[in-house]
Amino acid sequence: MTQTLSTQSRKSPPRVAAFVLMSALALTACTNPDRFGAGGAGAGAAGANGGIIAGSINDPTSTAYFNQTIGDRVLFLVDQSTLTDSARGQLTQQAQWLLANPGYTAIIEGHADEQGTRDYNLALGSRRAAAVQDFLISQGVNPSRLKPITYGKERPIAVCSDESCYAQNRRAVTVLAAGAGVS
Protein backbone atom coordinates (compact mmCIF):
# COMPACT_ATOMS: atom_id res chain seq x y z
CA MET A 1 0.00 0.00 0.00
CA THR A 2 2.88 2.36 0.69
CA GLN A 3 4.12 1.89 -2.83
CA THR A 4 0.67 2.72 -4.26
CA LEU A 5 0.55 6.03 -2.37
CA SER A 6 4.04 7.07 -3.40
CA THR A 7 3.28 6.27 -7.05
CA GLN A 8 0.08 8.34 -6.96
CA SER A 9 1.71 11.24 -5.15
CA ARG A 10 4.30 11.49 -7.94
CA LYS A 11 1.61 11.88 -10.60
CA SER A 12 0.52 15.47 -11.22
CA PRO A 13 -3.04 16.18 -12.19
CA PRO A 14 -3.29 18.19 -15.44
CA ARG A 15 -4.38 21.31 -13.54
CA VAL A 16 -1.24 21.32 -11.41
CA ALA A 17 0.98 20.84 -14.46
CA ALA A 18 -0.80 23.68 -16.25
CA PHE A 19 -0.42 25.94 -13.20
CA VAL A 20 3.32 25.21 -12.98
CA LEU A 21 3.73 25.89 -16.72
CA MET A 22 1.78 29.18 -16.53
CA SER A 23 3.75 30.28 -13.47
CA ALA A 24 7.02 29.63 -15.27
CA LEU A 25 5.86 31.58 -18.31
CA ALA A 26 4.74 34.48 -16.13
CA LEU A 27 8.10 34.62 -14.40
CA THR A 28 9.99 34.66 -17.69
CA ALA A 29 7.88 37.63 -18.80
CA CYS A 30 9.23 39.59 -15.85
CA THR A 31 12.87 39.37 -16.94
CA ASN A 32 12.88 42.51 -19.14
CA PRO A 33 12.90 45.56 -16.85
CA ASP A 34 12.85 48.03 -19.78
CA ARG A 35 9.89 46.50 -21.63
CA PHE A 36 7.83 49.64 -20.92
CA GLY A 37 10.63 52.01 -21.86
CA ALA A 38 13.01 53.85 -19.60
CA GLY A 39 11.44 54.42 -16.22
CA GLY A 40 8.99 51.52 -16.40
CA ALA A 41 5.23 51.40 -16.80
CA GLY A 42 4.45 54.30 -14.48
CA ALA A 43 6.89 56.76 -15.99
CA GLY A 44 4.16 59.07 -17.25
CA ALA A 45 4.11 60.89 -20.57
CA ALA A 46 7.70 62.13 -20.58
CA GLY A 47 10.42 59.88 -21.98
CA ALA A 48 14.00 59.55 -20.77
CA ASN A 49 15.01 62.73 -22.58
CA GLY A 50 11.93 64.65 -21.47
CA GLY A 51 10.33 63.92 -24.86
CA ILE A 52 6.79 62.85 -25.48
CA ILE A 53 6.02 59.13 -25.43
CA ALA A 54 4.20 57.99 -28.55
CA GLY A 55 0.59 57.14 -27.83
CA SER A 56 0.18 59.40 -24.80
CA ILE A 57 -2.38 62.18 -24.52
CA ASN A 58 0.54 64.61 -24.85
CA ASP A 59 1.48 63.19 -28.27
CA PRO A 60 -0.54 65.20 -30.83
CA THR A 61 -0.30 62.32 -33.31
CA SER A 62 -1.83 59.72 -30.97
CA THR A 63 -5.34 58.33 -30.78
CA ALA A 64 -5.41 59.28 -27.09
CA TYR A 65 -4.81 62.92 -28.06
CA PHE A 66 -7.49 62.72 -30.76
CA ASN A 67 -10.07 61.17 -28.43
CA GLN A 68 -9.47 63.44 -25.46
CA THR A 69 -8.21 66.72 -26.89
CA ILE A 70 -9.84 66.91 -30.32
CA GLY A 71 -12.91 64.87 -29.36
CA ASP A 72 -14.11 61.70 -31.04
CA ARG A 73 -17.89 62.25 -31.02
CA VAL A 74 -20.61 64.61 -32.06
CA LEU A 75 -24.19 64.69 -30.78
CA PHE A 76 -27.46 65.01 -32.67
CA LEU A 77 -30.92 66.33 -31.88
CA VAL A 78 -33.92 64.00 -31.55
CA ASP A 79 -34.68 62.13 -34.80
CA GLN A 80 -32.11 64.25 -36.67
CA SER A 81 -29.07 63.47 -38.78
CA THR A 82 -28.35 67.10 -39.59
CA LEU A 83 -25.11 68.42 -38.10
CA THR A 84 -25.44 71.21 -35.56
CA ASP A 85 -23.06 74.18 -35.55
CA SER A 86 -21.28 72.62 -32.57
CA ALA A 87 -20.91 69.31 -34.42
CA ARG A 88 -19.49 71.06 -37.51
CA GLY A 89 -16.91 72.82 -35.33
CA GLN A 90 -15.92 69.54 -33.72
CA LEU A 91 -15.71 67.78 -37.10
CA THR A 92 -13.60 70.60 -38.54
CA GLN A 93 -11.02 69.84 -35.83
CA GLN A 94 -11.27 66.12 -36.57
CA ALA A 95 -10.72 66.77 -40.28
CA GLN A 96 -7.65 68.92 -39.57
CA TRP A 97 -6.21 66.18 -37.35
CA LEU A 98 -6.90 63.48 -39.95
CA LEU A 99 -5.29 65.61 -42.67
CA ALA A 100 -2.21 66.14 -40.49
CA ASN A 101 -2.04 62.41 -39.63
CA PRO A 102 -2.51 60.51 -42.91
CA GLY A 103 -1.44 57.19 -41.36
CA TYR A 104 -4.84 56.79 -39.72
CA THR A 105 -8.18 55.59 -41.03
CA ALA A 106 -11.51 56.01 -39.28
CA ILE A 107 -14.68 54.07 -38.76
CA ILE A 108 -17.58 56.42 -38.19
CA GLU A 109 -20.15 54.83 -35.91
CA GLY A 110 -23.72 56.10 -36.10
CA HIS A 111 -25.84 55.62 -32.95
CA ALA A 112 -29.38 56.38 -31.82
CA ASP A 113 -31.24 56.47 -28.52
CA GLU A 114 -33.52 53.62 -27.41
CA GLN A 115 -36.72 55.29 -28.59
CA GLY A 116 -38.22 53.91 -31.78
CA THR A 117 -37.93 50.58 -33.54
CA ARG A 118 -34.70 48.75 -34.21
CA ASP A 119 -35.02 49.28 -37.97
CA TYR A 120 -35.77 52.99 -37.61
CA ASN A 121 -32.75 53.49 -35.34
CA LEU A 122 -30.42 51.51 -37.61
CA ALA A 123 -31.45 53.76 -40.51
CA LEU A 124 -31.05 56.89 -38.37
CA GLY A 125 -27.62 55.77 -37.18
CA SER A 126 -26.64 55.17 -40.80
CA ARG A 127 -27.72 58.69 -41.79
CA ARG A 128 -25.76 60.16 -38.87
CA ALA A 129 -22.59 58.27 -39.81
CA ALA A 130 -23.04 59.35 -43.45
CA ALA A 131 -23.48 63.00 -42.42
CA VAL A 132 -20.19 62.90 -40.51
CA GLN A 133 -18.43 61.11 -43.36
CA ASP A 134 -19.73 63.65 -45.91
CA PHE A 135 -18.57 66.55 -43.76
CA LEU A 136 -15.07 65.11 -43.27
CA ILE A 137 -14.79 64.50 -47.02
CA SER A 138 -15.91 68.09 -47.70
CA GLN A 139 -12.99 69.20 -45.50
CA GLY A 140 -10.50 67.29 -47.66
CA VAL A 141 -10.26 63.88 -45.95
CA ASN A 142 -9.83 61.11 -48.52
CA PRO A 143 -13.01 58.98 -48.66
CA SER A 144 -10.93 55.78 -48.76
CA ARG A 145 -9.86 56.51 -45.18
CA LEU A 146 -13.43 56.59 -43.84
CA LYS A 147 -15.97 53.84 -43.31
CA PRO A 148 -19.43 54.56 -41.92
CA ILE A 149 -21.25 51.92 -39.86
CA THR A 150 -24.51 51.99 -37.96
CA TYR A 151 -25.33 50.46 -34.61
CA GLY A 152 -28.72 52.10 -34.17
CA LYS A 153 -29.75 51.73 -30.54
CA GLU A 154 -27.70 48.56 -30.01
CA ARG A 155 -24.68 50.15 -28.27
CA PRO A 156 -25.84 52.81 -25.81
CA ILE A 157 -23.28 54.56 -23.64
CA ALA A 158 -25.94 55.67 -21.15
CA VAL A 159 -28.78 53.40 -20.12
CA CYS A 160 -31.87 54.93 -18.56
CA SER A 161 -35.25 56.08 -19.81
CA ASP A 162 -34.47 59.74 -19.37
CA GLU A 163 -33.56 62.59 -21.72
CA SER A 164 -30.10 62.89 -20.16
CA CYS A 165 -29.33 59.34 -21.36
CA TYR A 166 -31.10 59.70 -24.69
CA ALA A 167 -29.05 62.80 -25.52
CA GLN A 168 -25.73 60.97 -24.96
CA ASN A 169 -26.80 58.08 -27.18
CA ARG A 170 -27.75 60.27 -30.17
CA ARG A 171 -24.21 60.43 -31.51
CA ALA A 172 -21.63 59.63 -34.14
CA VAL A 173 -18.21 58.46 -32.97
CA THR A 174 -15.03 58.61 -35.03
CA VAL A 175 -12.95 55.53 -34.15
CA LEU A 176 -9.34 55.70 -35.35
CA ALA A 177 -7.19 52.86 -36.62
CA ALA A 178 -3.67 52.88 -37.98
CA GLY A 179 -3.59 51.90 -41.64
CA ALA A 180 -3.65 53.07 -45.21
CA GLY A 181 -7.29 52.31 -45.98
CA VAL A 182 -10.48 51.03 -44.43
CA SER A 183 -11.80 47.80 -45.88
Side-chain angles (χ1 to χ4, degrees):
M1 188 180 283
T2 321
Q3 189 163 12
T4 306
L5 287 175
S6 66
T7 304
Q8 284 182 342
S9 65
R10 283 186 280 173
K11 292 182 181 178
S12 297
R15 288 182 288 176
V16 173
F19 176 75
V20 170
L21 177 62
M22 294 303 291
S23 297
L25 289 173
L27 288 174
T28 59
C30 295
T31 61
N32 183 0
D34 290 328
R35 68 191 169 282
F36 297 113
N49 298 327
I52 296 171
I53 293 177
S56 77
I57 190 170
N58 296 326
D59 175 5
T61 64
S62 73
T63 57
Y65 181 90
F66 178 86
N67 292 341
Q68 296 180 21
T69 305
I70 301 297
D72 65 346
R73 67 197 61 215
V74 293
L75 301 177
F76 291 87
L77 298 175
V78 177
D79 296 327
Q80 296 294 310
S81 58
T82 304
L83 297 171
T84 64
D85 290 340
S86 173
R88 282 192 292 279
Q90 181 74 37
L91 292 171
T92 298
Q93 291 179 51
Q94 286 187 15
Q96 291 169 352
W97 190 93
L98 285 164
L99 291 170
N101 296 280
Y104 287 93
T105 59
I107 294 174
I108 303 163
E109 300 177 345
H111 299 271
D113 61 36
E114 68 183 57
Q115 301 173 99
T117 67
R118 181 177 187 271
D119 289 340
Y120 174 81
N121 284 314
L122 284 170
L124 181 57
S126 181
R127 289 192 305 273
R128 288 173 174 169
V132 169
Q133 179 187 29
D134 291 345
F135 186 87
L136 293 173
I137 291 169
S138 77
Q139 298 298 300
V141 178
N142 187 326
S144 69
R145 295 175 59 199
L146 305 172
K147 179 183 177 185
I149 188 168
T150 182
Y151 290 112
K153 62 182 180 179
E154 305 302 319
R155 293 189 177 185
I157 57 172
V159 181
C160 71
S161 295
D162 184 82
E163 178 56 29
S164 65
C165 292
Y166 296 153
Q168 294 176 61
N169 293 327
R170 295 188 293 258
R171 69 194 190 284
V173 181
T174 305
V175 180
L176 298 177
V182 179
S183 50

